[in-house]
Amino acid sequence: GGSLGELKRIVDDGDGVDGLIDAIKGQGYEIVLLHVISNVAAATASVRDYMNAFGDNATHVAIINKTWGKDDADFPFWMGFNGANGVQKGGKARADLLANGGAEIHFPALQAGTFAKVDAENLPFTAALESADLSITEKAHLNKFLKASKEAFMEIKDKLGL
């Protein structure tokens, strides 16, 4: 998130991403944009900005980061909700992403204390499984997280070239 401005400057001097798209596709690559969704409006607005910039020149995948909530209702701007007087708010970026061939997965949350220890060691999650600083329980949290993460990404393996 927040890097669209920089992407626009790489080739196009801040005036869009057409040159960047041409450069990437010219090398034989397909563009897949992974949008990490939190529970705030800015995350949804960011997806809209990228969809507007890249359009159908990229495959868009929304990754609902369950660190920010367990239920769809915890992501009101992405999922949509009924505001005052029953007026629908939010949800349009999600609907557009899915209608245009995009995908969505739910990324699991790692228990907060376990995440903090792994983050402090600055290790890949799989390497952290061998850390002497993690308890048996924390290693179990990490194993569960890795398994659920793999399952989530396998749902979109065709979009990721896996």
Side-chain angles (χ1 to χ4, degrees):
S3 62
L4 184 57
E6 285 75 24
L7 289 173
K8 288 179 177 181
R9 285 190 281 280
I10 291 172
V11 176
D12 299 283
D13 297 322
D15 296 324
V17 292
D18 293 337
L20 179 63
I21 291 167
D22 290 345
I24 293 169
K25 289 192 169 196
Q27 294 298 310
Y29 292 103
E30 295 295 321
I31 301 169
V32 179
L33 298 174
L34 304 176
H35 307 282
V36 180
I37 306 296
S38 69
N39 59 351
V40 298
T44 297
S46 175
V47 174
R48 172 64 67 200
D49 292 343
Y50 277 88
M51 287 193 308
N52 288 340
F54 283 86
D56 61 3
N57 289 298
T59 299
H60 298 271
V61 177
I63 301 172
I64 300 169
N65 187 345
K66 296 195 91 177
T67 295
W68 297 101
K70 293 186 179 206
D71 302 314
D72 286 350
D74 294 327
F75 300 88
F77 301 102
W78 182 249
M79 296 294 177
F81 66 99
N82 287 324
N85 301 321
V87 174
Q88 176 71 21
K89 291 188 169 192
K92 184 146 177 30
R94 176 182 186 253
D96 289 347
L97 179 140
L98 296 173
N100 290 315
E104 163 182 282
I105 63 171
H106 289 80
F107 190 73
L110 178 58
Q111 192 275 346
T114 302
F115 176 81
K117 285 184 175 181
V118 172
D119 184 59
E121 290 195 35
N122 197 27
L123 292 172
F125 290 125
T126 53
L129 286 170
E130 304 303 320
S131 172
D133 289 336
L134 293 183
S135 69
I136 293 170
T137 302
E138 291 163 337
K139 289 178 182 179
H141 292 156
L142 193 50
N143 267 319
K144 182 179 177 184
F145 169 78
L146 289 168
K147 181 181 178 198
S149 296
K150 180 178 180 180
E151 289 170 0
F153 278 103
M154 291 310 287
E155 292 175 25
I156 57 167
K157 67 182 179 182
D158 59 318
K159 298 199 182 298
L160 299 176
L162 299 176

